[in-house]
Amino acid sequence: MKVTLKDIARESGYSITTVSHALSGYGDVNENTRQHIIAIAERLGYQPNLAARHLRSKQTKTIGMVIPLTTYYSDPFFMELLSGVGRQAAEYGYDLLLSAQQPGEEELSAYRRIVASSRIDGVVVARVQRDDPRITFLKEARHPFVVFGRSNANDYPYIDVDGRAGIRQIVLHLARLGHRRIAFILSPPQLAFTTLRYEGYCQGLDEAGLSLRDDYVVEGDLTRASGHAAALRLLALPEPPTAIVACNDSMAIGAMLAIQERKLVVGRDVAVAGFDDIPAAANASPPLTTVRQPIYDIGRQALDMLIRVIRNEPVENLHVLLVPELIVRASSGGMI
Amino acid sequence: MKVTLKDIARESGYSITTVSHALSGYGDVNENTRQHIIAIAERLGYQPNLAARHLRSKQTKTIGMVIPLTTYYSDPFFMELLSGVGRQAAEYGYDLLLSAQQPGEEELSAYRRIVASSRIDGVVVARVQRDDPRITFLKEARHPFVVFGRSNANDYPYIDVDGRAGIRQIVLHLARLGHRRIAFILSPPQLAFTTLRYEGYCQGLDEAGLSLRDDYVVEGDLTRASGHAAALRLLALPEPPTAIVACNDSMAIGAMLAIQERKLVVGRDVAVAGFDDIPAAANASPPLTTVRQPIYDIGRQALDMLIRVIRNEPVENLHVLLVPELIVRASSGGMI
DNA sequence: CTGTTAGCGCCTTCAG
DNA sequence: CTGAAGGCGCTAACAG
């Protein structure tokens, strides 16, 4: 049987209250009796029943994350985020509750359920969409949360990588290498970061004195296959681009494959760059020029912020924007 | 404020008991009053307080997994396992509690804490070691658990991939291609699966009529770098092997790089094969011949077993052994 | 410094 | 069919 405060009380001769006080440091207890009680607790292998403690104290020392089943788990990205969040949570003595749900309706109801059932003290929301219903819900419920990514509204705590600056850097890098015809493979428009990265593309072109061409902007769905298809479309243009920037690494790798199928050399005939710096980027051939998202650190920082929100501490920096780092490799031709 | 049974009782005019009965299907309640109560509960957005329910019912509908911080998170493998477990847990209405801990002492104490604090109904243990202290502990504590991997003792529920059969298949495949000098890169000896895979290697050699050579067996630590180093050592032998089998894909990929650095052609001069079929295996150049561990399914099945253990159902198959599938790609030369 | 009292929200006998 | 009462294990006022 599980050992409870009651057992220790019986064993030590003190009352439950005193035992509780001695063990949790609440209230004043004679140092001798405290030691005595602690010794007994250890001998019996006492571990507080957390359900009881949570019921009483209204806090669970648990952080939640809802994982859309289909997309995320396979996403190397999400895993790294999870890792950072988990690491930092452990640091604060928090555990991580994962709820795997289908995205969409079911996902939202998972939030509803988890939040209302007082199971967790706060939530980390990832991969935010434009007008994300989860955020609306959490704001209304006034439940502590922090978001990885920005939506159009900014009235909530978030941490994000400056995608605009990242893509801008890439475009300028390519322009510096002499490229005048730079194309862009977009991510799905409903994702919040798409707009920002597109802005970075436009801004980069502008600063480089290049003009925006509609036929150089095509849409993908973040998969390798869609990058492949998009690149084929671009290469079939009467005046094909000499450089292709993709919204993420997977699409960029897909684009490289398409270029190679056309018997062109990546980095010489057509430069390619991505965004994320997933492990596959460095291992691609040629290695992919990209922009690094420090996902692990983002997870840690997101959790830091969340803890502050939970503690109701003044969150002086409710918004954290990290500047991504340009990683130049052979695919952009700068290293050949 | 959170809405409780009390609120619904007040609102509906019935007692807390009746409301509880109506909502949870316990006891007989007039169908009309039941509908009435359910309607009010929905209007108020009632969600049962899980802490209270857990305290009362002694079960948490939560499965735990302890994640060693350093190794696992970066392990693509562990993530897939997590994914399978999470998916199936959701199926049963269970959530997943992750506790990120440093391996070793701290990890064991995490088990102790989590188990004794009645936070979870069962645990999934991964990457088991020889004489794993976690297993000893869980057995003693009589806490429901299931293990991915076998140790030397078999008196607990586990699910595993037959590593012996897997490596044996690879060795036979290579022998069939004409190889007589087949080397083996071991994983660390403290990991439980190392012995089994080594046995598979010996068995394969034996069946192919080849004899075991000590100098053809070298040890790595599962990393790409260690595979690289091990391959260099093998290639420096007076009579170097014509085929290298590694205990996992990462080491195999490291070995391929070493071979290529020596200006040899993988698949022609030296055949290489791994174990796991991680995503990088198919993307390597040349693509890596390997043996597939259906990790995602393993996670799902592990959870199935765990639920049965929790429910005290007769576990007819306490031990599940999956036969891995040989995936022949170019690195072994069979496809060139 | 220690103990008594009173719940947290829920489930579950046991009586009406 | 409905309700009153008790308690899961813990914490927090409030007295002594």
Side-chain angles (χ1 to χ4, degrees):
Chain A
M1 226 4 248
K2 291 272 152 53
V3 11
T4 70
L5 285 185
K6 203 195 220 168
D7 299 319
I8 301 178
R10 186 165 5 83
E11 189 77 9
S12 67
Y14 287 96
S15 74
I16 292 181
T17 313
T18 305
V19 172
S20 172
H21 285 181
L23 257 29
S24 60
Y26 176 90
D28 290 330
V29 180
N30 181 302
E31 194 51 31
N32 286 333
T33 65
R34 158 174 274 121
Q35 291 308 332
H36 180 215
I37 287 173
I38 288 177
I40 293 182
E42 283 190 352
R43 179 159 57 74
L44 267 43
Y46 170 74
Q47 290 289 353
N49 178 316
L50 293 180
R53 183 175 278 180
H54 296 163
L55 176 57
R56 196 60 247 250
S57 65
K58 304 292 180 202
Q59 55 153 351
T60 58
K61 289 289 207 166
T62 306
I63 298 300
M65 271 182 96
V66 175
I67 311 186
L69 274 175
T70 42
T71 6
Y72 279 57
Y73 266 136
S74 51
D75 186 349
F77 231 64
F78 188 78
M79 291 310 165
E80 220 183 309
L81 181 68
L82 186 61
S83 155
V85 172
R87 169 82 182 74
Q88 200 67 357
E91 206 73 30
Y92 284 104
Y94 277 71
D95 284 322
L96 246 192
L97 189 74
L98 291 193
S99 188
Q101 301 293 338
Q102 306 288 357
E105 260 319 293
E106 210 177 300
E107 188 187 359
L108 191 56
S109 81
Y111 274 86
R112 209 179 295 280
R113 190 167 49 81
I114 286 184
V115 163
S117 62
S118 329
R119 248 197 130 181
I120 54 176
D121 297 342
V123 197
V124 177
V125 180
R127 184 158 295 191
V128 58
Q129 311 208 345
R130 233 191 273 265
D131 300 314
D132 201 302
R134 300 171 298 172
I135 294 177
T136 316
F137 167 66
L138 290 167
K139 268 196 305 212
E140 270 178 20
R142 314 183 119 269
H143 192 271
F145 71 98
V146 60
V147 178
F148 170 27
R150 287 165 286 171
S151 185
N152 32 354
N154 286 333
D155 52 343
Y156 55 82
Y158 70 77
I159 178 167
D160 200 4
V161 163
D162 192 341
R164 191 187 303 156
I167 295 288
R168 176 180 157 274
Q169 279 184 75
I170 289 183
V171 172
L172 289 178
H173 164 70
L174 292 169
R176 227 176 289 122
L177 293 174
H179 292 278
R180 319 295 300 160
R181 304 208 299 271
I182 305 174
F184 191 54
I185 304 179
L186 278 170
S187 40
Q190 64 269 29
L191 291 177
F193 64 70
T194 301
T195 317
L196 295 162
R197 294 193 189 169
Y198 179 66
E199 284 174 18
Y201 170 66
C202 297
Q203 195 178 333
L205 288 182
D206 191 54
E207 288 181 33
L210 303 173
S211 51
L212 181 64
R213 293 175 54 157
D214 280 352
D215 54 343
Y216 279 1
V217 179
V218 294
E219 193 182 317
D221 64 4
L222 293 175
T223 65
R224 190 179 283 208
S226 75
H228 183 269
L232 289 183
R233 257 177 290 149
L234 289 169
L235 295 175
L237 290 174
E239 193 179 40
T242 61
I244 299 179
V245 180
C247 259
N248 76 338
D249 285 349
S250 294
M251 292 198 295
I253 290 173
M256 290 208 292
L257 295 174
I259 291 165
Q260 286 159 345
E261 281 171 19
R262 283 277 173 280
K263 303 295 178 210
L264 297 170
V265 175
V266 172
R268 192 194 65 192
D269 302 323
V270 186
V272 175
F275 195 110
D276 284 347
D277 198 29
I278 60 178
N283 294 326
S285 61
L288 181 67
T289 289
T290 188
V291 154
R292 173 174 300 156
Q293 298 215 52
I295 302 289
Y296 181 82
D297 276 338
I298 287 171
R300 298 189 59 162
Q301 288 197 49
L303 196 104
D304 278 336
M305 290 174 68
L306 183 53
I307 295 288
R308 301 223 296 276
V309 174
I310 289 171
R311 291 188 181 154
N312 245 315
E313 284 179 24
V315 186
E316 65 281 12
N317 290 319
L318 226 56
H319 301 154
V320 173
L321 200 55
L322 301 175
V323 178
E325 180 190 1
L326 180 66
I327 312 281
V328 176
R329 299 203 183 92
S331 75
S332 60
M335 286 173 64
I336 291 184
Chain B
M1 228 3 247
K2 291 268 150 52
V3 12
T4 72
L5 286 184
K6 202 194 219 170
D7 300 319
I8 302 178
R10 186 165 4 83
E11 190 77 10
S12 68
Y14 288 98
S15 74
I16 291 180
T17 314
T18 304
V19 173
S20 172
H21 285 181
L23 256 30
S24 60
Y26 176 92
D28 290 331
V29 180
N30 181 303
E31 193 51 31
N32 285 332
T33 64
R34 159 173 275 122
Q35 292 307 333
H36 181 214
I37 287 173
I38 288 177
I40 293 182
E42 282 190 353
R43 179 158 58 74
L44 266 45
Y46 170 73
Q47 291 288 351
N49 178 317
L50 293 180
R53 182 173 280 181
H54 297 163
L55 176 58
R56 193 63 242 256
S57 65
K58 303 292 181 201
Q59 55 153 348
T60 59
K61 289 291 208 165
T62 306
I63 298 300
M65 272 180 98
V66 175
I67 311 186
L69 273 175
T70 41
T71 6
Y72 279 57
Y73 266 137
S74 50
D75 187 349
F77 232 62
F78 187 78
M79 291 310 165
E80 220 183 308
L81 181 69
L82 185 63
S83 153
V85 172
R87 170 81 182 75
Q88 200 66 356
E91 206 74 29
Y92 284 104
Y94 277 71
D95 283 322
L96 246 193
L97 189 73
L98 290 193
S99 188
Q101 300 294 337
Q102 305 289 356
E105 260 320 294
E106 210 176 300
E107 188 187 359
L108 190 57
S109 79
Y111 275 86
R112 210 179 294 281
R113 191 166 48 80
I114 286 182
V115 164
S117 62
S118 330
R119 207 138 191 227
I120 53 177
D121 296 342
V123 197
V124 177
V125 179
R127 183 156 296 190
V128 58
Q129 312 210 342
R130 234 193 272 266
D131 301 313
D132 202 302
R134 300 170 298 173
I135 294 177
T136 317
F137 167 67
L138 289 167
K139 269 196 303 212
E140 271 179 21
R142 314 182 120 271
H143 192 270
F145 71 100
V146 60
V147 179
F148 171 28
R150 287 165 288 170
S151 185
N152 32 354
N154 285 334
D155 52 343
Y156 55 82
Y158 69 75
I159 179 168
D160 200 5
V161 162
D162 192 342
R164 191 187 304 157
I167 295 288
R168 176 181 157 275
Q169 280 183 73
I170 288 183
V171 171
L172 289 178
H173 165 69
L174 292 168
R176 225 175 291 122
L177 293 174
H179 291 278
R180 319 296 300 163
R181 304 208 300 271
I182 304 174
F184 191 54
I185 305 180
L186 278 170
S187 40
Q190 63 270 27
L191 291 177
F193 64 70
T194 301
T195 318
L196 294 162
R197 295 194 189 169
Y198 179 65
E199 285 174 18
Y201 170 66
C202 297
Q203 195 178 332
L205 288 183
D206 191 54
E207 288 182 33
L210 304 173
S211 53
L212 181 64
R213 294 175 52 157
D214 279 353
D215 54 343
Y216 280 1
V217 179
V218 294
E219 193 182 317
D221 63 4
L222 294 175
T223 64
R224 189 178 284 208
S226 76
H228 183 270
L232 289 183
R233 257 177 290 149
L234 290 169
L235 295 175
L237 289 175
E239 195 179 38
T242 62
I244 299 179
V245 180
C247 259
N248 75 339
D249 285 349
S250 293
M251 292 198 295
I253 290 172
M256 291 208 291
L257 295 175
I259 291 165
Q260 286 160 346
E261 281 170 19
R262 282 278 173 277
K263 303 296 177 210
L264 297 170
V265 175
V266 173
R268 192 193 64 191
D269 303 323
V270 186
V272 175
F275 195 111
D276 285 346
D277 197 30
I278 60 177
N283 294 325
S285 61
L288 181 67
T289 288
T290 187
V291 153
R292 174 174 300 157
Q293 299 215 52
I295 302 290
Y296 181 82
D297 277 338
I298 288 172
R300 298 189 60 161
Q301 288 197 47
L303 197 102
D304 279 336
M305 291 174 68
L306 184 54
I307 295 287
R308 303 222 296 275
V309 175
I310 290 172
R311 291 185 182 158
N312 246 315
E313 284 180 24
V315 187
E316 66 280 12
N317 290 318
L318 225 56
H319 300 156
V320 173
L321 198 56
L322 302 174
V323 178
E325 180 191 1
L326 180 66
I327 311 282
V328 176
R329 299 203 183 93
S331 75
S332 60
M335 287 174 62
I336 290 185

